[in-house]
Amino acid sequence: MHAVSHVEGKAYPFGRKNVDTDVIIPAQWLKTITREGLGQGCFESVRQEPGNVFEDEAYRGAPIVIAGDNFGCGSSREHAAWALLDMGIKAVIAPSYSDIFSGNAFKNGILAVALPQEQVDRLLEVAKSDPITIDLESQTVTTPFQDRFSFEIDPFRKHCLLNGLDEVGLTLTRDSAIAAHEAKARESLPFLAKGIAAAA
């Protein structure tokens, strides 16, 4: 997982409420056995709407999506986070999220920022013409117009995102402690060590 500390650039001013995971990545895309290419199906039904922001050249390549309340509701498919990543999205700003989507986003290195609706509304306006900056270290979202909005994030999630740590990465940070425990177990339970060696 890549570390996330600072996300800056254009943002898709989407703003739609109750966007479920089937809208983020439709079911027909779930047959794949790889994460690559899912960005092509991300917001597929929305992209078919005339004048949608995801097909607007002004926002192409934007690393941020500004959405409405209850983003990522519906089924628990992790493919939604994979699709956003493959599309180039590094952060989402919305008033609230589905708990499962929020967890999946975090585990895949996507920063899900929750802000009050009035602040999201302000960012939707700014995004139409100017870039937005998210700083995870200071937990702020800023604009070129001196807007400065603070957001809360679980300290553990913040630590993991700043250091690019997923479950495997977290386990590897405890490598020395695990090795010490295994060595102690071999000393105190020699019969166990012999059994493991015989099985190998």
Side-chain angles (χ1 to χ4, degrees):
M1 187 172 87
H2 294 293
V4 179
S5 61
H6 193 85
V7 182
E8 182 176 9
K10 297 287 290 181
Y12 292 104
F14 187 35
R16 192 172 300 181
K17 297 181 179 181
N18 301 312
V19 172
D20 64 36
T21 51
D22 193 55
V23 171
I24 299 172
I25 186 69
Q28 63 266 27
W29 288 85
L30 307 187
K31 300 172 184 176
T32 180
I33 57 173
T34 176
R35 302 181 187 196
E36 296 177 6
L38 287 175
Q40 298 173 41
C42 200
F43 297 112
E44 186 176 58
S45 61
V46 178
R47 290 175 186 274
Q48 295 171 8
E49 299 172 2
N52 76 86
V53 296
F54 298 110
E55 292 298 315
D56 190 329
E57 286 296 326
Y59 306 107
R60 186 169 297 280
I64 303 168
V65 171
I66 304 175
D69 200 32
N70 197 28
F71 186 77
C73 56
S75 73
S76 60
R77 65 189 69 167
E78 191 173 6
H79 292 68
W82 298 349
L84 287 168
L85 275 177
D86 196 57
M87 183 181 162
I89 301 302
K90 298 178 181 177
V92 180
I93 300 173
S96 68
Y97 302 87
S98 155
D99 286 343
I100 294 176
F101 172 82
S102 178
N104 285 335
F106 155 66
K107 290 178 181 179
N108 285 278
I110 297 174
L111 178 56
V113 175
L115 290 174
Q117 185 65 58
E118 60 269 21
Q119 294 178 3
V120 171
D121 290 340
R122 168 60 180 162
L123 293 173
L124 284 168
E125 284 302 312
V126 171
K128 293 176 182 178
S129 58
D130 291 272
I132 289 169
T133 301
I134 305 172
D135 188 286
L136 178 55
E137 188 68 56
S138 64
Q139 296 178 211
T140 57
V141 179
T142 56
T143 76
F145 305 103
Q146 307 306 311
D147 298 295
R148 184 180 179 87
F149 305 133
S150 298
F151 62 90
E152 296 298 319
I153 185 170
D154 176 80
F156 173 72
R157 288 189 172 186
K158 179 178 180 178
H159 169 77
C160 290
L161 288 168
L162 286 172
N163 294 281
L165 298 172
D166 56 13
E167 286 94 339
V168 174
L170 281 168
T171 301
L172 290 175
T173 63
R174 304 292 295 167
D175 185 53
S176 297
I178 293 170
H181 174 78
E182 292 295 320
K184 185 176 180 181
R186 283 192 295 272
E187 291 174 6
S188 62
L189 304 169
F191 63 89
L192 181 60
K194 289 180 180 178
I196 293 173

